[in-house]
Amino acid sequence: MIERLERFLADAEPGRRARVLSYQPISGGYSRISARASVRWADGREETLILRGDPPAGSGVFVSDRDAEWELLRALPNLNSVATAPTRWYDSSGDYLGAKCIVMQSVDATSFQAVLTDADDIGPLSDLFVDTFAAIHGSRLDPLPERMTRPSDWMSYLDGVLATYDQVAESHPSVAPVVRYVTRWAAGHRPPPVPLALVHGDCQPSNVLVSEAQPPIVIDWEFAHIGDPREDLGYYHQIPLLPNVYWSDSERFLARYRAATGMTEDQINPDVVDYFLIIGMATLYAQLVDAADAVANNQHPGILASYLINAISHQHDMFLSICDRQN
Amino acid sequence: MISRPTTDQLIADVCQDLVEAVLPALADETLQVRVAMAETVLRNAAVRAAHEIAWMTDETATLIEYANAVNARIPNVELTAALAAFDEAPQSSLHLADVVETYERASQAFAAALAGAQREGTVELVDTAREMLHDRVSTEKAVMATYAVVGR
């Protein structure tokens, strides 16, 4: 991999002659293959790069479009609403690095989840987390890439999400009873609409890097889309990594979010967050079930697919509990 | 066949070896995560191996009883077709693939019955089905008993 990266850098930065000093895979992501590489240029400067590439074809659980992510990462700085890791280059064909791969500059910052774990008082950190995502949700949409789908209206957007669940139920009999029940329930319990917005799609502190010197940096944008911003809150609600700042003090979390976004209590409250747990999980849930199916069809997508069958059961349990609470 | 150790005991034995002998010897962090995931999958598989035929057989009977009850009160085309497909399932076989096939057809019939009950607003039928869904998910949770997030 070191030689591949050196060849890539030679073409990306002709004349600068890079020597790759180290290349180390990074664990922790469930989706893309990530690695950290240390590079020394001919002028003696050294820097650390982060590589984020697709897993080999047919393997892995979560599917997303690297071209779309690259375009979005290039557009995000124009929003002036969220800080991101500086992008450097993109192997758009995979010819150099073995798979489509985004190369970013490493930032000197710590995982927000790790900071939360070590904190004595997570209240102020909860506020920072909320403010970070509220700012994303308040972003202007016009600078975003053309390829991002712009739903025509809130109702049809929600219909589309529920249709994803219908399709899952249609093709996967073992989950069909739970999915069909929950989908029908969700269709009949829609909360008040809010304007569609930029949704991160994997909202959790593990995807935020913090340091004292700079604003929080939000990473892993592969599931970003234009949708209902409350999806991010619902999605975070099901993240089992502790401390979860929503679980710790949901009242503070939601009051802060309402203040930052101007949403009313009807538009965002614990029931609505529960509701958007179901909506915010639709894409990933469908991919989890597809991956389990790939195992069943001997396609060997990798150990993650089998491991995350538990996550499907975890979702079922939460989905049913939500329907029960709001019946 | 050699019936003891049972399948779940064999898998549990492999898990112990993975955790005590293989995992500590791995320096590569990404491989450590993969082995930890594999051990979780194996532990889940051990639970399934010990009970899955009984679980699916028992639940199939309940699902079909419900589907027939709904079909008698508020029949619909999808439900009738799903019940006909169930009738063609290899119901008498205890081979795992046949039990799964039968269970999946029963699940489709149950899902169609529940959808019909929700559509018609038949409260007691929906309530009964909701209890059955909870039982179903309880079984799923029994399988995932040792699940913990690894590698994040």
Side-chain angles (χ1 to χ4, degrees):
Chain A
M1 196 61 201
I2 284 180
E3 286 115 37
R4 280 172 172 267
L5 181 55
E6 284 182 346
R7 273 200 302 276
F8 174 70
L9 293 173
D11 281 359
E13 293 282 322
R16 290 189 67 195
R17 282 185 294 126
R19 186 168 155 235
V20 178
L21 305 175
S22 66
Y23 178 91
Q24 187 68 42
I26 302 171
S27 65
Y30 278 6
S31 178
R32 310 270 65 86
I33 304 286
S34 298
R36 178 179 288 106
S38 177
V39 172
R40 181 183 295 146
W41 301 96
D43 62 6
R45 280 184 50 229
E46 288 187 13
E47 67 176 312
T48 303
L49 303 172
I50 301 295
L51 285 76
R52 177 174 164 79
D54 285 338
S59 70
V61 170
F62 299 112
V63 181
S64 62
D65 183 334
R66 215 57 38 239
D67 295 346
E69 185 181 8
W70 172 250
E71 279 186 25
L72 177 62
L73 287 172
R74 302 291 279 180
L76 286 170
N78 301 324
L79 301 179
N80 295 319
S81 57
V82 57
T84 55
T87 52
R88 298 296 294 272
W89 309 280
Y90 179 40
D91 179 3
S92 61
S93 63
D95 289 346
Y96 291 94
L97 302 173
K100 289 185 177 187
C101 185
I102 293 169
V103 182
M104 289 171 287
Q105 189 177 308
S106 177
V107 291
D108 187 16
T110 309
S111 160
F112 200 4
Q113 186 65 50
V115 173
L116 283 168
T117 303
D118 294 338
D120 294 327
D121 176 12
I122 62 171
L125 295 172
S126 171
D127 295 346
L128 181 61
F129 182 71
V130 169
D131 292 349
T132 301
F133 280 89
I136 292 171
H137 298 159
S139 300
R140 290 178 301 124
L141 301 182
D142 49 296
L144 294 174
E146 285 292 313
R147 76 160 73 208
M148 285 185 89
T149 304
R150 275 124 170 117
S152 57
D153 60 85
W154 184 86
M155 192 62 98
S156 63
Y157 173 73
L158 210 66
D159 285 343
V161 175
L162 296 176
T164 301
Y165 280 120
D166 284 335
Q167 287 157 12
V168 171
E170 192 70 34
S171 46
H172 303 286
S174 63
V175 300
V178 172
V179 171
R180 288 189 68 171
Y181 170 73
V182 171
T183 306
R184 188 158 188 95
W185 177 89
H189 288 77
R190 297 173 200 239
V194 300
L196 298 174
L198 175 61
V199 178
H200 180 271
D202 190 4
C203 169
Q204 54 176 312
S206 301
N207 284 333
V208 180
L209 305 175
V210 289
S211 69
E212 289 190 3
Q214 55 198 346
I217 291 171
V218 181
I219 61 173
D220 286 7
W221 288 85
E222 63 182 306
F223 296 114
H225 59 277
I226 296 171
D228 190 305
R230 297 169 293 184
E231 288 174 66
D232 273 343
L233 277 55
Y235 178 87
Y236 178 51
H237 183 18
Q238 57 83 44
I239 293 289
L241 294 176
L242 297 175
N244 177 308
V245 293
Y246 179 72
W247 296 353
S248 299
D249 189 347
S250 57
E251 206 170 300
R252 175 181 185 138
F253 186 103
L254 293 179
R256 184 85 179 186
Y257 187 75
R258 280 191 287 268
T261 59
M263 286 188 198
T264 66
E265 197 151 357
D266 279 347
Q267 289 171 323
I268 188 70
N269 58 54
D271 285 348
V272 172
V273 173
D274 277 353
Y275 183 89
F276 278 97
L277 186 158
I278 296 170
I279 302 303
M281 271 306 297
T283 300
L284 296 187
Y285 177 85
Q287 294 188 4
L288 287 169
V289 177
D290 283 343
D293 212 38
V295 177
N297 290 319
N298 300 314
Q299 292 165 358
H300 193 62
I303 189 64
L304 186 62
S306 297
Y307 172 74
L308 287 177
I309 289 171
N310 282 325
I312 298 172
S313 299
H314 182 55
Q315 299 301 322
H316 289 170
D317 191 34
M318 286 189 296
F319 290 176
L320 286 185
S321 298
I322 290 166
C323 297
D324 282 354
R325 280 200 295 276
Q326 297 189 38
N327 261 335
Chain B
M1 65 180 281
I2 298 168
S3 55
R4 291 181 192 278
T6 57
T7 306
D8 57 317
Q9 289 171 326
L10 285 169
I11 296 173
D13 197 51
V14 172
C15 285
Q16 189 170 340
D17 212 49
L18 276 178
V19 170
E20 293 179 2
V22 177
L23 202 51
L26 290 175
D28 185 322
E29 197 180 321
T30 58
L31 286 181
Q32 288 173 3
V33 169
R34 290 175 70 168
V35 170
M37 288 180 177
E39 196 262 344
T40 299
V41 172
L42 287 172
R43 288 206 180 280
N44 295 163
V47 177
R48 286 177 58 148
H51 302 290
E52 64 188 333
I53 288 180
W55 280 339
M56 283 189 281
T57 305
D58 289 350
E59 193 185 339
T60 292
T62 315
L63 298 174
I64 290 302
E65 185 183 351
Y66 178 86
N68 280 324
V70 173
N71 200 40
R73 279 180 63 176
I74 42 172
N76 66 71
V77 173
E78 185 195 4
L79 173 55
T80 305
L83 283 168
F86 173 78
D87 286 341
E88 300 298 315
Q91 297 171 40
S92 58
S93 169
L94 288 178
H95 288 289
L96 183 56
D98 292 334
V99 172
V100 168
E101 179 65 28
T102 301
Y103 178 69
E104 291 198 336
R105 292 189 192 201
S107 295
Q108 291 288 35
F110 172 66
L114 173 53
Q118 283 181 292
R119 207 164 37 239
E120 298 293 327
T122 318
V123 176
E124 74 274 18
L125 286 176
V126 174
D127 287 348
T128 301
R130 195 168 54 238
E131 290 305 314
M132 292 166 65
L133 290 175
H134 277 292
D135 291 344
R136 186 183 183 97
V137 172
S138 292
T139 303
E140 293 181 14
K141 286 167 70 180
V143 172
M144 62 182 278
T146 60
Y147 176 57
V149 177
V150 299
R152 299 304 298 255

